[in-house]
Amino acid sequence: MSAAEQRERLADLAPDRLEDLESEDEADDHPLPALPNVDAYDEVRMRLAPNPNGPWHLGSARMPAVIGTYKDRYDGWMLCRFDDTDPETKRPDLAAYDAILDAIDYLGFEPDDVVRASDRVAVYYDHARELVELGGAYTCSCPAEEFSELKNAGEPCPHRGKDAETVHEEFEAMVDGEYSAGEMVLRVRTDIEHKNPALRDWVAFRMVDRPHPREEAAHYRCWPMLDFQSGVDDHLTGITHIIRGIDLQDAAKRQRFLYGYFGWEYPEVVHWGHVQVDAYDVAMSTSTIKAKVESGELTGWDDPRAPTVASLRRRGIRGRAIVEAMVELGTSSANVDLSMSVVSANNRELVDDETDRAFLVRADGPGVDGAVELPVTDAPEAGTPPYHPDHDGRGRRTIPVDGAVLLERDDCPPAGERVWLKGLGCVRREGDGLVATDDPIDVVREGGVDVVHWVPTEENVRTRLRTMDGDVTGHAEPGLAAYDPDELVQFERVGFARVDAHEDDETVTYYAHP
RNA sequence: GCUCCGAUAGUGUAGUCCGGCCAAUCAUAUUGCCCUCUCGAGGCAAUGACCGGGGUUCAAAUCCCCGUCGGAGCACCA
């Protein structure tokens, strides 16, 4: 009986068992757990809510990777909403808005809509006014520290009992910019004795003296806090599922007070833990990376040592490889470590088959012992290794010998010993040079002769390979000059690399992984 | 101090809701062997985990309690 027949038969005998079977199958097909309560909604609607205070580090890629994957799975809708309501502490970087949209595209997703919170300030003001009408908020001029003490003691501040008219007037004065930073806030009235101090009468709006970097928003001085802005926007944009970090665990609890006043239903919410990526010395935080870029310690956001999306992209890693790794992390609320080897393995799987091979003899750099120049006698005029060992049909490269070759020092055979120059043939070390022998390939299989890569001393391409450990310089086979920027090659016995640029004196490549 | 949350091999993950098919899945990693004109790919194998202690039960990774460890919030940041 085939699987389909079995299924049909089961449908007759025990339809409820069939349902069980199918829900299990569904789980098997998806690495991510099912979203909660999906059936209660006509459409799954989610949002990415990046703060554009800098280009994305690797951890940020988890957001589009997971949310985008859910969007595809449920045929849902995805908003990219820039939560750029802090012109001071997490000041927006004007270049980051597009950099983030580029990163989303690189990762293979497309938001159905893009909005900026800084364009929607009037909407937040309107909702604040409504909240004041409903008695759900009050203006408060307590210094932050004083309020904090009262709050921790579970005691209301004197402003909590203000009449609606005063609150209304003072909020309008906030909107009109009549206060300076720290002088007045609008608080949501929650429960000042709530057992969780984090939820007591939180700030919804505060004053910021420094103008927003976006011209369109530069005139505002009264800015909403995340809990207010995000809460209002999630409702207004019909978000059904919120997926965000555990640092925002209490945000949902705070926002429920707001939703209570407005009579709104709170969306489903999933919190995941923090991601760390091994393999990096640089801390994965926007501000840390920004500081290192500004000080010149990193050459840019796409420096190979930077734990950023732009860096992996420049190294030739496919967005898909990152997405798959992020999706495999799941949505556990425990903190997780992402192993770069998983990203590398994913990428290798994606690119290996289509990537041409090439020789790079490394001469200088971290972990490199130098290159040695050796005259070659009696050898053929050129070596002809294949473009890809698994695809003969793609043809062979032609690498001239021109009387002398460069080998990496580690590959250089001692006097009297043989080595197989890949694609060329067997040579023996005699004095300061190499002499071709007539040995068949069997000496490699049976005789313990090593196969090594090489380039001609005369005709080669000066190459820089930028790696996470620093730059390696060396010489590549002449054919490397023919690759366009953005193409990948695998330097045999070294690793995969992306061709970045052909400069006057050298070709620059970025190392991806072994 | 108050309030939440979490814990399966080096890493991630499946299984936990609804206890038995779990001497625990898959991937990655490491090691060995085979294959190979790469240290890539491919094939085979090995390594390696249910945080601890109690309880419930015929039966516990799974349910309950206590502990330990880790994380988050208590911002006029997001």
Side-chain angles (χ1 to χ4, degrees):
Chain A
M1 212 188 289
S2 74
E5 284 166 345
Q6 285 178 25
R7 192 159 290 217
E8 220 169 280
R9 178 105 194 206
L10 184 62
D12 290 341
L13 295 172
D16 50 326
R17 289 299 188 101
L18 184 64
E19 265 174 45
D20 284 356
L21 189 68
E22 275 169 358
S23 64
E24 276 168 31
D25 281 2
E26 198 178 321
D28 286 347
D29 290 345
H30 300 288
L32 286 171
L35 281 176
N37 208 20
V38 163
D39 293 341
Y41 304 92
D42 293 337
E43 184 183 35
V44 171
R45 294 171 68 88
M46 293 165 296
R47 82 296 197 284
L48 313 172
N51 179 342
N53 62 333
W56 268 355
H57 55 65
L58 233 29
S60 314
R62 190 181 192 184
M63 206 180 356
V66 170
I67 293 173
T69 299
Y70 275 128
K71 169 189 145 95
D72 293 347
R73 171 166 166 186
Y74 292 110
D75 193 21
W77 182 85
M78 181 172 79
L79 170 70
C80 176
R81 185 187 72 218
F82 289 103
D83 283 352
D84 56 348
T85 54
D86 177 12
E88 186 72 51
T89 316
K90 288 191 176 166
R91 188 172 176 79
D93 168 353
L94 288 178
Y97 293 84
D98 281 344
I100 287 169
L101 291 175
D102 271 357
I104 296 169
D105 178 68
Y106 157 67
L107 293 166
F109 299 101
E110 191 185 347
D112 293 290
D113 198 4
V114 177
V115 299
R116 297 168 202 81
S118 55
D119 279 333
R120 298 170 53 76
V121 176
V123 173
Y124 310 133
Y125 289 163
D126 285 345
H127 282 80
R129 292 179 183 116
E130 194 181 336
L131 187 63
V132 169
E133 295 284 308
L134 292 165
Y138 59 95
T139 43
C140 170
S141 53
C142 289
E145 216 167 286
E146 267 175 43
F147 184 87
S148 176
E149 277 175 30
L150 287 168
K151 180 202 67 185
N152 287 335
E155 288 171 19
C157 83
H159 309 109
R160 202 173 201 254
K162 271 181 203 168
D163 61 273
E165 191 52 32
T166 310
V167 170
H168 179 76
E169 279 168 21
E170 288 181 345
F171 180 67
E172 292 308 325
M174 285 177 70
V175 168
D176 293 340
E178 290 172 20
Y179 302 103
S180 296
E183 288 180 354
M184 188 69 79
V185 298
L186 184 75
R187 291 187 183 279
V188 175
R189 188 193 307 273
T190 67
D191 172 359
I192 200 66
E193 294 179 323
H194 196 285
K195 64 173 184 170
N196 184 347
L199 311 187
R200 298 172 189 164
D201 285 21
W202 45 274
V203 173
F205 286 81
R206 86 299 205 180
M207 304 303 298
V208 180
D209 296 334
R210 194 173 180 196
H212 195 281
R214 288 186 66 233
E215 213 174 291
E216 301 89 323
H219 58 287
Y220 296 114
R221 293 295 176 273
C222 174
W223 285 95
M225 302 288 289
L226 174 84
D227 288 325
F228 189 90
Q229 173 267 122
S230 171
V232 167
D233 274 341
D234 284 338
H235 176 77
L236 295 181
T237 52
I239 299 302
T240 62
H241 292 77
I242 296 170
I243 306 176
R244 63 185 167 202
I246 44 170
D247 46 329
L248 264 17
Q249 273 176 130
D250 289 340
K253 294 172 189 162
R254 281 195 280 258
Q255 289 170 332
R256 281 181 197 278
F257 286 97
L258 202 58
Y259 276 59
Y261 283 116
F262 288 126
W264 297 342
E265 287 293 316
Y266 201 80
E268 310 293 331
V269 53
V270 173
H271 290 109
W272 60 35
H274 296 286
V275 201
Q276 290 195 352
V277 182
D278 65 359
Y280 286 100
D281 294 336
V282 182
M284 202 165 61
S285 101
T286 305
S287 53
T288 306
I289 301 167
K290 182 174 270 181
K292 288 185 189 267
V293 169
E294 280 167 5
S295 74
E297 202 174 321
L298 295 171
T299 56
W301 285 86
D302 54 4
D303 186 295
R305 292 160 298 182
T308 57
V309 173
S311 168
L312 291 202
R313 183 181 198 168
R314 196 160 195 189
R315 287 168 52 193
I317 309 242
R318 298 259 192 273
R320 187 80 228 151
I322 302 172
V323 169
E324 283 169 8
M326 290 294 178
V327 164
E328 279 165 29
L329 294 182
T331 54
S332 155
S333 67
N335 292 347
V336 294
D337 291 329
L338 171 63
S339 187
M340 269 307 288
S341 65
V342 174
V343 176
S344 301
N346 289 344
N347 195 61
R348 201 182 290 125
E349 170 77 26
L350 292 170
V351 304
D352 181 55
D353 195 66
E354 63 192 48
T355 302
D356 285 351
R357 271 49 179 170
F359 292 157
L360 169 70
V361 173
R362 294 167 292 184
D364 194 33
V368 176
D369 202 23
V372 178
E373 188 177 332
L374 296 157
V376 181
T377 48
D378 298 339
E381 276 181 24
T384 55
Y387 279 105
H388 195 295
D390 305 333
H391 298 282
D392 273 346
R394 294 184 193 170
R396 293 179 167 266
R397 297 119 72 188
T398 299
I399 309 170
V401 177
D402 281 337
V405 298
L406 286 171
L407 297 187
E408 293 188 7
R409 188 180 302 279
D410 288 346
D411 289 335
C412 196
E417 295 295 319
R418 291 171 298 179
V419 75
W420 188 282
L421 299 183
K422 192 164 184 181
L424 182 71
C426 192
V427 295
R428 182 189 305 279
R429 177 76 181 273
E430 286 184 15
D432 291 336
L434 300 170
V435 179
T437 69
D438 288 337
D439 293 310
I441 191 64
D442 302 355
V443 299
V444 169
R445 297 196 188 114
E446 291 150 27
V449 173
D450 290 333
V451 176
V452 305
H453 57 284
W454 54 279
V455 293
T457 305
E458 289 299 317
E459 196 183 332
N460 62 47
V461 179
R462 284 179 54 89
T463 300
R464 175 176 301 272
L465 179 63
R466 302 202 63 201
T467 79
M468 289 181 71
D469 299 323
D471 286 9
V472 169
T473 52
H475 304 266
E477 64 181 71
L480 188 68
Y483 288 89
D484 291 330
D486 217 32
E487 286 193 275
L488 300 181
V489 294
Q490 189 212 52
F491 290 127
E492 296 195 59
R493 303 177 68 230
V494 175
F496 290 84
R498 176 182 154 279
V499 175
D500 191 69
H502 297 295
E503 296 179 354
D504 291 344
D505 54 342
E506 65 181 13
T507 288
V508 178
T509 60
Y510 277 67
Y511 182 73
H513 49 73

